[in-house]
Amino acid sequence: MKRLLTGLKPSGELTLGSLIGGIQQSVLYQNEYDSFIFVPDLHAITVSQDPTLLKERIKKNVALYLACGIDPNKNTIYIQSDNLYHANLSWIFECLTYMGEASRMTQYKDKTSKGESVSVGLLTYPILMTADILLYDAYYVPVGIDQKQHVELARNLAERFNHRFGDTFVVPTPLIPKIGAKIMDLQNPTKKMSKSDQDSKGCIFLLDPEEVIRKKIMSAVTDSEGKVYYDVEHKPGISNLLTIYSALSHLSIQEVEEKFKEYNYGNLKKEVADLVVTTLLEIQKKYQEIMKSGLVDQVLEEGKKKTNELAKIKYESVLKKVGLGRD
Ligand code: ATP
Ligand code: LTN
């Protein structure tokens, strides 16, 4: 069975974008592939984090994975920092990555273009991501569109390593959702919905209360045309609402357009809000039960043991090929 692997950094509370672009895909494929889902906590500290909040969020996010439908019997679930091999392998890939290659990554460029001083970790984090993926021979990596370039770096580094040292790593393929690869901010629908934004009015968090979710959707920015149809370029706000509805209902964009074609914007927003509320309240109910159950610690313990065993074998084979250590 081919392996599928993904992770969502605990740098903020998980959002509707994290669910649609990340978790939902893993849920969809968990019967077909040997699925791994983890918490890339080392990635979260590329920007400053409050240690108490970070620690809480790591377990919270695992509970959310489970509440969103990640089945612990079909997935290996673990924390990145529970396994020292990720950062060790990352170093080896850092030494195979060109400066130009790392600094060309769009996310890095966006963050540095604002003129703020950033950590070296922000430059090297796609390389750590490469290690996360290649360590376990993952074939498929479900991610939103913003992460596609980073999976491409992992492909390039896998090929470079294999070419230089002999066949060692599987070359991974990104799995981008057909609908919802980039859920937009409700207040600024030309910008990605992001958990790390200061202003959260345009971002729906998975644990937002019902009234908050409704308020955010009802005040989503649209346009003045008054007609409901999908056109990302000219109607980004309406297209975003249709995308959210489509991704959560599993109806195609065409079916959703057809359903809402006679609606005014107020009624469309109300229906989208109803579906988001139903979906998230269900997740929140399961989340509360899971947080009380002790399941999170249990799955993380199993995940830690299994991934350390797998990673040790892979890492040792890499050391040998590169000529490090002694036999
Ligand atoms: P941030 O929200 O802070 O920008 P991020 O997207 O960089 O965070 P994660 O939360 O780790 O980081 O992302 C987890 C997964 O969810 C990734 O595959 C990412 O592409 C996807 N994702 C995150 N936000 C969205 C979004 N708005 N639309 C679609 N997919 C998303
Ligand atoms: N860098 C990703 C999170 C991430 C990831 C991974 C995703 C870290 N390691 C491995 C898929 C596979 C992000 O910022 N969203």
Side-chain angles (χ1 to χ4, degrees), residues 144-185:
I145 197 85
D146 58 312
Q147 295 297 323
K148 187 168 177 249
Q149 197 186 28
H150 297 158
V151 182
E152 277 157 7
L153 176 71
R155 288 178 67 82
N156 291 340
L157 290 174
E159 280 166 355
R160 192 169 305 158
F161 188 101
N162 289 349
H163 184 250
R164 200 169 296 177
F165 300 105
D167 217 13
T168 309
F169 292 111
V170 167
V171 180
T173 302
L175 284 184
I176 315 288
K178 285 191 194 72
I179 297 161
K182 193 171 181 186
I183 299 298
M184 299 303 193
D185 186 287

Side-chain angles (χ1 to χ4, degrees), residues 5-11 36 38-41 43-44 46 78 80 86 107 111 125-126 128-134 138 140-144 146-147 150-151 192 195:
L5 177 148
T6 200
L8 298 97
K9 348 181 257 275
S11 49
F36 280 37
F38 73 108
V39 182
D41 53 349
H43 277 99
T46 48
Y78 55 103
Q80 188 184 36
H86 289 241
Q107 258 194 8
K111 297 205 171 155
Y125 106 55
L128 176 59
M129 183 165 162
T130 293
D132 296 336
I133 298 168
L134 301 191
Y140 295 118
V141 184
V143 282
D146 58 312
Q147 295 297 323
H150 297 158
V151 182
K192 191 185 95 162
K195 61 174 137 64

Side-chain angles (χ1 to χ4, degrees), residues 2-114:
K2 284 188 176 157
R3 186 163 290 151
L4 172 144
L5 177 148
T6 200
L8 298 97
K9 348 181 257 275
S11 49
E13 303 297 320
L14 296 180
T15 70
L16 196 58
S18 326
L19 172 67
I20 294 173
I23 306 174
Q24 198 166 269
Q25 291 209 83
S26 289
V27 173
L28 203 68
Y29 290 117
Q30 63 188 348
N31 293 325
E32 259 170 86
Y33 300 115
D34 175 20
S35 296
F36 280 37
I37 184 163
F38 73 108
V39 182
D41 53 349
L42 296 171
H43 277 99
I45 61 163
T46 48
V47 294
S48 166
Q49 299 290 333
D50 175 304
T52 314
L53 283 181
L54 177 59
K55 206 168 237 340
E56 266 172 30
R57 220 184 275 130
I58 290 168
K59 279 171 80 172
K60 239 169 111 173
N61 283 9
V62 173
L64 275 171
Y65 293 173
L66 299 170
C68 291
I70 294 290
D71 180 344
N73 296 315
K74 295 180 183 149
N75 287 267
T76 303
I77 305 169
Y78 55 103
I79 300 174
Q80 188 184 36
S81 65
D82 262 349
N83 187 323
L84 301 179
Y85 295 106
H86 289 241
N88 275 347
L89 183 61
S90 179
W91 174 253
I92 295 176
F93 285 121
E94 279 187 38
C95 297
L96 288 179
T97 308
Y98 304 110
M99 272 304 285
E101 203 171 24
S103 51
R104 259 200 310 277
M105 295 289 125
T106 314
Q107 258 194 8
Y108 173 75
K109 281 204 302 202
D110 286 351
K111 297 205 171 155
T112 46
S113 67
K114 291 176 193 143

